[in-house]
């Protein structure tokens, strides 16, 4: 078997992205900033739009530093996107 | 000639098992590999994130199913138990 993972195999990045749209997510940026909110939409660059955004410094238990109604995050800054609730 | 194995084939063999991901910066992740793509973006489950500060202390946090951006990945250790296993 020489082929790598197919684009939409179960468990693949693209399948995960499809599964978490509309769910509550935790997004960490390369700077360490942590954003939680509802994932509205995203694309293959990991550009994303989240609503009901809470921003914190990313250190465990750190307080919320800002809230935004809606935010666009450019994909190049994203370290990870994590499901905040069970999928 | 001994049969060759491609780098991404090795990662493909790790799907379903624990993997230790070491990033370019002072961050490491341990989780169950569920899938990956050609950029080595990875979907991990039951993730522990380690943030290692300059004085050597580790900050640990737990994550659910997570899509880790492959952009800053440096090394993957199949079956790795994380930084705690080597100290």
């Amino acid at each position: 078997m020489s082929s790598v993972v197919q684009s939409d195999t179960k468990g693949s990045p693209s399948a995960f992205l499809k599964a978490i749209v509309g769910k509550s997510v935790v997004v960490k940026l390369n700077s360490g900033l942590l954003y939680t909110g509802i994932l509205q939409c995203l694309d293959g660059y990991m550009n994303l739009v989240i609503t009901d955004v809470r921003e914190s410094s990313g250190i465990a238990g750190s307080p919320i530093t800002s809230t935004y109604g809606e935010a666009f995050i450019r994909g190049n800054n994203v370290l990870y996107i994590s499901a905040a609730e069970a999928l | 000639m001994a049969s060759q194995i491609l780098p991404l084939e090795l990662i493909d063999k790790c799907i379903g098992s624990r993997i230790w991901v070491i990033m370019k910066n002072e961050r490491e992740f341990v989780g169950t590999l569920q899938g990956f793509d050609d950029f080595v973006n990875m979907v991990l489950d039951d993730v522990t994130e380690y943030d290692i500060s300059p004085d050597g202390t580790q900050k640990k946090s737990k994550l659910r199913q997570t899509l880790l951006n492959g952009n800053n990945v440096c090394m993957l250790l199949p079956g790795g138990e994380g930084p705690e296993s080597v100290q």
Side-chain angles (χ1 to χ4, degrees):
Chain A
M1 194 200 77
S2 61
S3 70
V4 246
V5 178
Q6 299 299 304
S7 63
D8 243 304
T9 327
K10 190 176 176 292
S12 71
S14 55
F16 174 78
L17 290 175
K18 276 184 188 166
I20 57 161
V21 174
K23 302 273 174 41
S24 183
V25 294
V26 179
V27 177
K28 192 168 211 166
L29 306 191
N30 289 316
S31 65
L33 285 176
L34 201 64
Y35 293 88
T36 60
I38 312 295
L39 182 65
Q40 297 300 328
C41 58
L42 49 79
D43 62 18
Y45 298 109
M46 286 198 218
N47 295 325
L48 44 96
V49 172
I50 47 178
T51 53
D52 300 319
V53 189
R54 281 161 293 160
E55 180 188 76
S56 67
S57 73
I59 298 156
S62 58
I64 293 160
T65 52
S66 301
T67 59
Y68 309 106
E70 191 169 34
F72 169 86
I73 298 175
R74 192 174 142 91
N76 65 310
N77 301 293
V78 174
L79 172 66
Y80 64 67
I81 305 170
S82 184
E85 57 194 78
L87 292 182
Chain B
M1 192 184 130
S3 66
Q4 281 273 1
I5 182 168
L6 294 165
L8 289 187
E9 280 181 53
L10 178 69
I11 309 173
D12 199 50
K13 284 175 189 276
C14 298
I15 288 177
S17 53
R18 298 293 281 176
I19 194 164
W20 179 10
V21 184
I22 299 175
M23 311 297 282
K24 284 199 287 196
N25 46 32
E26 300 306 307
R27 250 193 213 106
E28 300 177 11
F29 295 87
V30 177
T32 304
L33 183 66
Q34 300 204 313
F36 67 97
D37 61 17
D38 287 352
F39 304 106
V40 201
N41 299 320
M42 279 172 285
V43 179
L44 300 170
D45 210 346
D46 301 319
V47 184
T48 310
E49 178 189 357
Y50 298 88
D51 202 342
I52 296 146
S53 56
D55 61 10
T57 55
Q58 293 173 358
K59 285 193 297 266
K60 263 202 323 186
S61 41
K62 297 273 185 193
L63 301 167
R64 290 173 186 272
Q65 199 174 42
T66 298
L67 174 62
L68 182 64
N69 194 335
N71 198 28
N72 296 304
V73 169
C74 176
M75 182 160 62
L76 304 175
L77 295 163
E81 291 154 49
E84 285 155 335
S85 63
V86 292
Q87 285 180 350

